[in-house]
Amino acid sequence: MFLEVKNLSKTYTDKKFFGENKFNALDGVDFSMKDGESLSVIGGSGSGKTTFGRIISKLLDFDGGSVKYYGKDIKSYNITEFSGIVQMIFQNPYASLNPKLKIRSSLLEAFGAGAPSNAEDIIEKTLESAGLEKKILDNFPHQFSGGQRQRIAVARALIKKPKLIVADEPFASLDVYSQNNITEIFKSVRKNTGVSIILITHDIAAAIKFADRMIIMNEGKIIKDDSSENVFKEKENAYITDLLAAMEI
Amino acid sequence: MNKIFKNKAAFAGVVFIAAVVFIAVFAPFIAPYEPASQDLSVRLAAPSAAHILGTDDLGRDVFSRMVYGARVSMAVGFFAALLTVLIGTLLGMVSGYFGGIADSVIMRFTDIMLCFPTFFLILLVIAFFEPNIYNVMLVIGLTSWTGLARIVRAEVLSIREREFVLASKMLAVSKSRLFFIHILPNVISPIIVYAAIGIGGAILTESGLSFLGLGVQPPMSSWGQILMQGKDYIYAAWWLSLFPGIVILFTVLSFNLIGEALRDILDPKEYS
């Protein structure tokens, strides 16, 4: 199994002067996926989907349960090793690139200290698969639109040739055209490189369009894990019927 | 840089500071007299063609003394501000980036420093050590970093959670690169602003110390010291107090105007 998550839990503690507030972001999440599989995770705000994405990307520690890639615990991977397995794409494309660095420097970072001699070729090829031209390398991030920046972020993630890309609301702040554009890029990247993509979103239509498998999260739990067609057939779950009703409006 | 020339007040400030720096650097060529040479026959002479800003109680030329005093003020201002920036930036970045115990220790220490009225702390230190220009620079630098450390810490706290820092972490970028390439250049604007205003503050503090006789010692001259000597003769020789006072006012004002302009220029475009 590529990724196996068992009984995962995460509690955010807000320390006050007297006592503390606790919030269970994840509460016993079980989940697994095969190599090359892609899926979308949907759920409302506060359902735990971003926390889930960050934990499986090793950006956040968790409190209970286990996360394993290829049967090996996520905590026993060092960051260099791990960077070749999982990469992440973030919600806000405007903050995804260092405003003080040219695109070239941002992308070269993927090679670490010693960039190979063919680094420029690799970058060029990756840019192409993200629908970008080579000339953007000499520009600064503020010269690009949100959609373009998000594509640059996709290219950066691809340079490492990861097995999995976690995309956390990658088009929440983009217009419909750019949304569609990014979804198409994801699809073609998936087809060409065999990379798995987990798309975290609250946009149900985009989620259905993107993947066959769909997970619905609510209050820190996975309440449904099924094919995109079957997910909404089950009417007895109150949350799912609510989601459906919201979609039809 | 173009924007600072469009801001008329800041441009005036830049011109004034440039002039003062020029005068300080070329003091021996500009001053018509030796700053310490006395001529008792012209004690307390009013401004005239021979002494354009008059003379003091020992017959020394006030203009020449002020020209050399510019060296002291500029040196104290720049070095004290440099020290402030180094200490404040380092402590603020360590505190904000590493968090935890380092953060608690540094911030409590900063709180303690903030509890002392700075000027009296400086007075205390100078009273124990020899009052000279180096101690004045050092003690101003060592006491005025607290505000900057807090500002830098707050900025780092917000920058380190930005997506581009997280993305670089995912790419297994080294800690030093994260620190110096990703975080530091993005917190540099408030540091520059603080430095510009800090130079003005340091010059003011030096003048204050010299006025109290705890700054630069005679026969070396500084603006604050000329001001202090002038207070005894203020009814008889107004020029002794007026000119150094005006120069201090305009210098500090210039640095503040430049600082304000830099704040406007550096702040808004950051993430657009």
Side-chain angles (χ1 to χ4, degrees), chain A residues 54 57 59 79-80 83 86-88 90 92 95-101 105 109-110 142 149 156 160, chain B residues 161-173 177 181-183 185-186 188-189 269-272:
Chain A
R54 294 209 168 187
S57 305
L59 282 175
I79 57 165
T80 318
S83 68
V86 183
Q87 283 298 321
M88 195 163 185
F90 299 91
N92 183 359
S96 289
L97 298 163
N98 187 337
K100 310 274 180 185
L101 287 185
S105 320
E109 260 184 359
H142 68 262
R149 290 189 208 199
R156 173 174 57 187
K160 278 277 179 186
Chain B
E161 295 302 324
R162 295 250 170 206
E163 283 85 345
F164 67 85
V165 175
L166 297 180
S168 294
K169 273 188 186 167
M170 300 262 356
L171 291 174
V173 164
R177 192 175 159 87
I181 304 289
H182 290 294
I183 296 178
N186 285 295
I188 205 85
S189 341
K269 50 116 216 178
E270 213 63 316
Y271 294 102
S272 56

Side-chain angles (χ1 to χ4, degrees), chain B residues 33-76:
Chain B
Y33 299 90
E34 278 295 307
S37 77
Q38 305 175 4
D39 181 359
L40 293 173
S41 64
V42 286
R43 290 182 65 213
L44 297 175
S48 64
H51 301 280
I52 55 170
L53 298 182
T55 61
D56 66 3
D57 55 333
L58 294 171
R60 294 175 296 193
D61 182 51
V62 173
F63 178 68
S64 300
R65 288 181 67 71
M66 278 175 60
V67 165
Y68 277 88
R71 291 186 153 184
V72 172
S73 296
M74 287 295 123
V76 169

Side-chain angles (χ1 to χ4, degrees), chain B residues 182-236:
Chain B
H182 290 294
I183 296 178
L184 184 60
N186 285 295
V187 300
I188 205 85
S189 341
I191 297 174
I192 293 172
V193 174
Y194 198 91
I197 295 175
I199 295 173
I203 290 173
L204 211 55
T205 308
E206 186 274 330
S207 300
L209 283 173
S210 293
F211 185 82
L212 294 172
L214 292 167
V216 174
Q217 296 301 304
M220 228 177 161
S221 64
S222 93
W223 296 340
Q225 196 198 29
I226 302 170
L227 200 64
M228 173 197 66
Q229 288 169 345
K231 78 178 189 306
D232 299 334
Y233 305 99
I234 192 145
Y235 292 112

Side-chain angles (χ1 to χ4, degrees), chain A:
Chain A
M1 199 57 77
F2 170 59
L3 166 61
E4 211 167 10
V5 175
K6 278 205 179 114
N7 201 22
L8 183 67
S9 68
K10 169 77 185 174
T11 307
Y12 289 110
T13 314
D14 188 11
K15 280 192 183 134
K16 295 264 164 83
F17 198 73
F18 292 106
E20 51 192 25
N21 281 348
K22 286 194 172 192
F23 173 72
N24 287 328
L26 290 181
D27 188 7
V29 169
D30 288 306
F31 165 84
S32 68
M33 67 189 286
K34 295 195 283 283
D35 230 342
E37 195 180 11
S38 288
L39 56 103
S40 39
V41 179
I42 64 170
S45 303
S47 60
K49 54 192 199 306
T50 292
T51 303
F52 177 68
R54 294 209 168 187
I55 286 175
I56 62 172
S57 305
K58 210 173 188 266
L59 282 175
L60 204 61
D61 275 339
F62 49 94
D63 301 321
S66 69
V67 179
K68 284 177 179 159
Y69 282 96
Y70 298 115
K72 189 175 158 190
D73 195 279
I74 189 170
K75 285 176 180 166
S76 58
Y77 282 98
N78 69 38
I79 57 165
T80 318
E81 242 180 315
F82 194 74
S83 68
I85 298 177
V86 183
Q87 283 298 321
M88 195 163 185
I89 290 162
F90 299 91
Q91 177 171 2
N92 183 359
Y94 295 95
S96 289
L97 298 163
N98 187 337
K100 310 274 180 185
L101 287 185
K102 284 188 177 169
I103 305 299
R104 175 176 278 110
S105 320
S106 280
L107 294 183
L108 276 175
E109 260 184 359
F111 296 104
S117 52
N118 63 343
E120 198 85 356
D121 293 340
I122 299 176
I123 287 180
E124 221 172 294
K125 250 185 211 161
T126 334
L127 283 178
E128 211 173 284
S129 59
L132 293 161
E133 285 173 49
K134 189 193 170 190
K135 62 178 184 203
I136 64 146
L137 287 174
D138 292 311
N139 292 338
F140 284 98
H142 68 262
Q143 293 167 297
F144 298 103
S145 69
Q148 283 171 315
R149 290 189 208 199
Q150 201 62 296
R151 279 187 276 162
I152 295 168
V154 172
R156 173 174 57 187
L158 285 173
I159 293 173
K160 278 277 179 186
K161 296 196 169 62
K163 302 278 179 268
L164 169 67
I165 291 177
V166 179
D168 184 8
E169 305 264 14
F171 29 69
S173 51
L174 301 181
D175 61 83
V176 191
Y177 173 77
S178 301
Q179 277 190 17
N180 204 37
N181 187 270
I182 300 276
T183 316
E184 289 307 317
I185 287 169
F186 278 162
K187 279 184 183 169
S188 77
V189 161
R190 210 168 67 188
K191 210 171 81 188
N192 296 337
T193 63
V195 64
S196 297
I197 297 177
I198 294 182
L199 175 70
I200 298 172
T201 181
H202 58 250
D203 184 338
I204 299 164
I208 292 173
K209 224 188 282 177
F210 174 73
D212 301 335
R213 184 176 165 197
M214 191 184 276
I215 282 172
I216 302 178
M217 289 189 77
N218 187 33
E219 291 176 349
K221 289 190 174 74
I222 291 180
I223 56 169
K224 192 77 192 165
D225 178 355
D226 209 337
S227 74
S228 303
E229 287 161 29
N230 288 338
V231 158
F232 294 105
K233 282 185 180 156
E234 189 185 350
K235 302 275 185 182
E236 74 266 27
N237 187 309
Y239 184 72
I240 294 177
T241 34
D242 280 357
L243 266 180
L244 266 182
M247 244 180 87
E248 273 159 19
I249 288 168

